[in-house]
């Protein structure tokens, strides 16, 4: 499973990239707002830092303006992936940009039917939102499972990008189901390493190494 980082925080991306944990990045208007920076400038900086796809989201909801924005975002760098909402306007833009060779990430997916439409429109990525479904007491992982089965039935090439990930358990479950990609906030990726037995085991080894006066170099 590929790891995308769901943030516009350059330092956080750099830190994870140095660990080899970044196959791509996703941003959205809320993350741009949180960063307090300009979308074009930030996207360019991220694209220079990361080799994989960097999703930058359009803000228009009407077709003509959305297409214009998508085309403009695509000029920032070759690895920009234009993110469009799961609306008919978004799917029209997806079809056009995909045919022109630009990667498109269709976002705000909450049903398997929506995911089928995105695949038919040529999306490179579909972003089903796990956490936001969990928030309304619908199991987000069931959606990832359904989309996986449907895409496999028809050999759709659209990659399942599990989004709105809130915990390390979400990462494990998405990987078990076979999501192609998971996009997670930096904290969640950092949390994946945590296990109390690793920490207590290490504490004991450190203590015993000191008692045994072990010196390696
Ligand atoms: C990523 O592409 C999505 O915009 C993001 O994962 C949404 O996450 P949230 O539901 O935690 O805001």
């Amino acid at each position: 499973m590929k790891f995308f980082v769901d943030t516009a925080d350059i330092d956080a991306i750099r830190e994870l990239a140095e660990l080899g944990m970044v196959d791509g990045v996703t941003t959205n208007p809320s993350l741009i707002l949180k960063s307090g920076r300009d979308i074009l400038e930030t996207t360019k900086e991220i694209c220079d830092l990361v080799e994989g796809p960097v999703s930058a989201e359009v803000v228009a909801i009407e077709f003509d303006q959305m297409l214009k924005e998508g085309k403009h975002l695509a000029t920032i760098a070759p690895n920009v992936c234009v993110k469009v909402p799961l609306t008919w306007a978004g799917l029209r833009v997806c079809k056009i940009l995909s045919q022109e060779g630009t990667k498109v990430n269709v976002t705000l997916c909450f049903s398997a039917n929506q995911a089928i439409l995105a695949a038919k429109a040529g999306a490179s990525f579909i972003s089903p939102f796990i956490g936001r479904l969990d928030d309304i007491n619908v199991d987000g992982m069931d959606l990832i499972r359904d989309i996986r089965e449907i895409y496999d039935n028809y050999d759709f090439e659209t990659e399942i990008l599990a989004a709105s990930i809130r915990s390390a358990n979400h990462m494990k479950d998405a990987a078990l189901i076979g999501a192609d990609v998971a996009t997670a906030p930096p904290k969640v990726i950092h949390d994946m390493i945590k296990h109390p037995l690793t920490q207590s085991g290490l504490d004991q080894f450190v203590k015993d190494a000191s008692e045994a006066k072990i010196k390696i170099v």
Side-chain angles (χ1 to χ4, degrees):
M1 184 172 74
K2 284 175 272 189
F3 279 18
F4 286 3
V5 194
D6 199 23
T7 187
D9 179 338
I10 306 278
D11 291 337
I13 297 167
R14 186 178 293 110
E15 190 187 349
L16 283 165
E18 282 166 4
L19 292 165
M21 298 293 163
V22 182
D23 300 306
V25 172
T26 51
T27 62
N28 62 35
S30 309
L31 293 170
I32 294 293
L33 173 69
K34 200 169 152 197
S35 76
R37 298 193 51 204
D38 172 68
I39 182 174
L40 303 178
E41 195 186 288
T42 308
T43 305
K44 172 83 181 102
E45 216 172 306
I46 300 173
C47 286
D48 289 344
L49 189 64
V50 171
E51 266 184 40
V54 174
S55 288
E57 189 162 342
V58 297
V59 290
I61 52 172
E62 178 269 328
F63 170 73
D64 290 325
Q65 180 62 16
M66 194 190 293
L67 183 61
K68 211 168 145 188
E69 289 180 3
K71 282 179 184 268
H72 189 65
L73 289 171
T75 63
I76 296 176
N79 55 334
V80 162
C81 175
V82 175
K83 207 172 178 195
V84 301
L86 219 157
T87 60
W88 288 116
L91 294 180
R92 281 177 74 194
V93 170
C94 173
K95 190 159 177 44
I96 293 168
L97 292 181
S98 300
Q99 277 170 343
E100 288 176 1
T102 297
K103 279 189 190 300
V104 179
N105 173 359
V106 179
T107 190
L108 290 168
C109 171
F110 294 97
S111 79
N113 275 334
Q114 291 178 326
I116 295 171
L117 295 175
K120 302 221 31 113
S124 293
F125 300 99
I126 181 69
S127 288
F129 277 34
I130 297 167
R132 292 193 197 187
L133 281 171
D134 288 353
D135 289 345
I136 58 159
N137 293 321
V138 174
D139 189 342
M141 283 301 159
D142 283 346
L143 176 58
I144 304 291
R145 208 172 281 111
D146 286 350
I147 299 173
R148 179 75 285 155
E149 189 173 337
I150 292 167
Y151 279 11
D152 287 349
N153 283 346
Y154 299 100
D155 290 330
F156 282 132
E157 285 175 10
T158 303
E159 293 189 61
I160 302 173
L161 198 175
S164 187
I165 283 196
R166 305 272 171 79
S167 68
N169 268 344
H170 275 161
M171 293 296 273
K172 180 197 69 179
D173 291 339
L176 277 171
I177 292 166
D180 301 288
V181 192
T183 190
K187 180 183 180 305
V188 170
I189 297 176
H190 284 287
D191 282 351
M192 289 173 76
I193 202 168
K194 291 183 186 162
H195 196 288
L197 292 180
T198 302
Q199 193 52 54
S200 59
L202 183 60
D203 291 345
Q204 187 65 48
F205 287 155
V206 168
K207 189 168 167 282
D208 293 346
S210 149
E211 209 173 306
K213 297 191 177 17
I214 297 173
K215 189 174 185 308
I216 297 173
V217 284

